[in-house]
Amino acid sequence: MRLKSLLALSLFTLSAHAAELTLSDAVYVHQLDNQEVKNYLWNKTDKLELSPGQHQLKVSYSWIFDDGFESHTKVTVDEHWITLDIPKDGNYLLTTPELIDIDAAEKWAKTPKFVLETAKGKTLAAVAPRPDAPPPPPAPAAAPVTVDGTNMAEQQLQYWWSQADAATRARFKAWLDKQH
């Protein structure tokens, strides 16, 4: 019972130390720091969990505008790197300035700036993209989450190891060996 309580507490503690970044419909994130973000044809990633601090995102923009003549025009911005500073835990939105028509969108696409807002609509930053800048190396790992001196990540690994069958343990060992 104590293990279940510790596991539940650790999951709550881990989720309590993250900011949620919602992406507007036309904004796509392809990479977050050094991790690829999957977007599928009918299923776009629209929320990301971030820790407070600086993050590198590879973003693009794509939206179809009705041009008023029973036809449509697609406006796109190719993948670019942006740097976001997430000030603290909470909910944020990554969007564009209000693009009310195709003329505004095409003008914006020439020199795009993405906008980071709070959940209440307060603008925190307008972020200009960098076309070819790779992200800096990952930040050092955060200190482990502990409860009463117990490392929760280690506790979770031990729990899941004890639940795994022999084949799963073998696959995990093989994966772990590749990480060094």
Side-chain angles (χ1 to χ4, degrees):
M1 183 66 172
R2 182 166 190 254
L3 182 59
K4 285 182 182 180
S5 298
L6 286 174
L7 183 59
L9 179 61
S10 69
L11 292 175
F12 174 75
T13 303
L14 290 174
S15 64
H17 293 291
E20 183 175 81
L21 180 66
T22 301
L23 309 172
S24 69
D25 290 338
V27 176
Y28 293 80
V29 173
H30 304 278
Q31 194 168 336
L32 169 61
D33 295 324
N34 291 317
Q35 296 290 326
E36 182 180 1
V37 176
K38 299 285 187 186
N39 290 293
Y40 301 99
L41 183 60
W42 301 109
N43 189 12
K44 170 188 165 295
T45 298
D46 59 355
K47 291 188 188 297
L48 299 169
E49 293 272 324
L50 302 173
S51 60
Q54 193 173 79
H55 296 277
Q56 305 294 320
L57 285 79
K58 187 183 247 186
V59 298
S60 66
Y61 172 88
S62 179
W63 195 250
I64 298 174
F65 288 86
D66 180 7
D67 65 11
F69 301 107
E70 295 187 19
S71 63
H72 299 80
T73 303
K74 185 176 184 180
V75 176
T76 61
V77 173
D78 292 334
E79 295 178 6
H80 289 75
W81 287 101
I82 62 172
T83 301
L84 288 184
D85 287 313
I86 303 298
K88 59 183 178 178
D89 298 340
N91 295 314
Y92 300 93
L93 174 66
L94 183 62
T95 187
T96 63
E98 187 175 354
L99 304 173
I100 58 173
D101 59 23
I102 190 151
D103 294 329
E106 287 176 339
K107 182 179 178 185
W108 173 82
K110 290 177 183 173
T111 55
K113 285 193 176 181
F114 294 88
V115 179
L116 178 64
E117 297 178 348
T118 64
K120 295 181 180 177
K122 179 183 174 195
T123 299
L124 297 177
V127 185
R130 305 177 317 273
D132 297 321
V145 176
T146 60
V147 175
D148 296 330
T150 302
N151 180 325
M152 295 310 298
E154 182 180 345
Q155 196 78 22
Q156 290 175 3
L157 285 170
Q158 290 173 357
Y159 171 78
W160 288 112
W161 182 265
S162 71
Q163 301 300 309
D165 61 13
T168 303
R169 288 179 179 182
R171 286 193 310 274
F172 182 76
K173 284 181 182 179
W175 173 83
L176 190 59
D177 289 340
K178 291 178 187 176
Q179 303 306 305
H180 294 286

